[in-house]
Amino acid sequence: MGILDDLLKVYKKSKIKVKSPKELNKKVLSFGDIIEIYEPEFAIAVYIEDNTAILMSNFWEFATNSDMFVDVSHPIADKWIIELDKRIFLDNAKYSHYGKLNENDINLLKKALDGEELPPSKTGPKVPFNPKDARYKFKFEELKKTLKFNKNLFFEKDTNVIHFNFSKDLFEKEKKAAFDEKKLFEKNGVNILINPKNIIIDTTDKNIGKFAKIYIKSKGEEIVLFEGKIEAPTFEIISKTPIKNPYAIEQMLQIEIYDDKP
């Protein structure tokens, strides 16, 4: 893992800033078109449908089984991954058409989005949950990137922003993990990022339209933070006090998702 750890440091320092051209190439997009997005930071993505694109990265070494290898001739690189679990909504984005995937990759991408497995040569390995794995850290950095692009879409909705005070009296054993550095979690297929002042919950696009109950379970009591239909997959819980114990929060935070209203 040494090489990937070193590469992760390079990735974190490689925030590319590209000034958007005066005239954007805003041709009518179709499935498989490659676009360059310029704000809030530069990114490459592949268009799929309904003003939606999938994030791509030239750091293909971090590929897992949720990524698809493609060859795209671009000044930055020729080898890329399509991050199948990272969607970008283009409603307010500044972007320009760049090119298109080849027909073989277009067909494979369609199959992958329909749930079919990719050939081993076109995808990365399945990575077990391990927050110390550089590939896992890369995934969460890319998740934070998509949140930047989708922030206006998600966070302006009151149903997706939850204010809550994680006060000390919630914890039975506050000192148990007070210095636990673990901040990235996966729970029942849901990604959870715990920061000092907020929690980002990514329920993923596949759960849009389903019903969710997000609550805190402490000392036998339930404190419901959200209960209702998932209109957008990302939730932000803002804490009025610093979160010093991410491990304890992860233990108390419960997320239940149902196909129909329970």
Side-chain angles (χ1 to χ4, degrees):
M1 294 302 296
I3 294 176
L4 287 183
D5 289 332
D6 290 341
L7 190 60
L8 185 66
K9 294 177 183 178
V10 175
Y11 160 78
K12 289 183 176 181
K13 294 179 180 178
S14 64
K15 305 300 181 185
I16 301 173
K17 292 184 179 180
V18 176
K19 188 176 181 180
S20 59
K22 293 181 180 179
E23 294 186 9
L24 298 174
N25 183 357
K26 300 272 282 191
K27 65 167 284 187
V28 177
L29 298 176
S30 60
F31 190 96
D33 280 335
I34 305 296
I35 60 173
E36 294 181 335
I37 306 175
Y38 304 102
E39 295 179 3
E41 64 181 84
F42 184 75
I44 301 290
V46 57
Y47 183 82
I48 49 173
E49 61 181 357
D50 299 331
N51 225 21
T52 304
I54 303 178
L55 184 65
M56 296 173 61
S57 175
N58 60 303
F59 286 87
W60 55 267
E61 295 91 344
F62 294 109
T64 69
N65 64 322
S66 64
D67 303 306
M68 174 180 165
F69 292 120
V70 292
D71 294 322
V72 176
S73 181
H74 189 276
I76 294 176
D78 290 327
K79 188 171 183 178
W80 296 76
I81 52 173
I82 298 175
E83 301 180 66
L84 299 170
D85 55 350
K86 301 290 184 295
R87 304 292 174 93
I88 295 176
F89 298 93
L90 304 174
D91 295 331
N92 299 309
K94 273 191 175 183
Y95 65 87
S96 189
H97 179 267
Y98 177 79
K100 197 175 187 70
L101 294 176
N102 63 51
E103 287 301 319
N104 182 58
D105 284 342
I106 287 175
N107 292 330
L108 285 175
L109 180 57
K110 287 179 179 178
K111 292 179 180 179
L113 294 177
D114 285 337
E116 294 187 33
E117 289 189 10
L118 289 166
S121 62
K122 295 292 289 183
T123 189
K126 186 173 182 180
V127 178
F129 173 74
N130 179 4
K132 294 182 180 181
D133 191 310
R135 290 165 295 189
Y136 188 81
K137 294 177 182 178
F138 170 79
K139 285 295 181 188
F140 271 90
E141 290 295 324
E142 292 290 271
L143 171 61
K144 288 190 285 185
K145 182 185 292 186
T146 61
L147 292 178
K148 289 180 183 179
F149 288 109
N150 299 329
K151 186 174 182 179
N152 291 336
L153 177 64
F154 292 154
F155 291 171
E156 286 183 354
K157 294 183 178 182
D158 293 338
T159 54
N160 290 103
V161 179
I162 303 165
H163 295 273
F164 187 75
N165 185 1
F166 289 93
S167 56
K168 287 186 177 181
D169 57 8
L170 278 175
F171 306 115
E172 295 178 357
K173 297 179 180 179
E174 174 64 21
K175 295 182 180 180
K176 178 180 177 182
F179 299 98
D180 195 320
E181 295 181 355
K182 188 176 181 182
K183 297 180 181 179
L184 309 175
F185 302 91
E186 182 181 15
K187 203 171 201 176
N188 299 327
V190 173
N191 297 317
I192 303 170
L193 172 64
I194 301 179
N195 296 313
K197 293 186 179 179
N198 72 337
I199 299 171
I200 303 295
I201 300 173
D202 176 33
T203 61
T204 73
D205 288 338
K206 68 181 181 181
N207 289 312
I208 293 177
K210 296 182 181 180
F211 291 83
K213 180 180 178 181
I214 302 173
Y215 61 98
I216 296 291
K217 190 171 184 179
S218 175
K219 301 178 183 178
E221 297 183 2
E222 290 186 4
I223 303 172
V224 178
L225 303 178
F226 173 85
E227 189 168 18
K229 190 175 182 179
I230 301 174
E231 302 288 350
T234 306
F235 294 82
E236 181 185 29
I237 303 173
I238 300 174
S239 178
K240 296 179 181 179
T241 55
I243 300 172
K244 298 179 180 179
N245 193 332
Y247 179 80
I249 293 293
E250 187 269 341
Q251 293 293 307
M252 293 189 299
L253 186 63
Q254 307 297 317
I255 304 169
E256 299 175 359
I257 298 177
Y258 310 91
D259 290 329
D260 298 306
K261 190 173 183 180

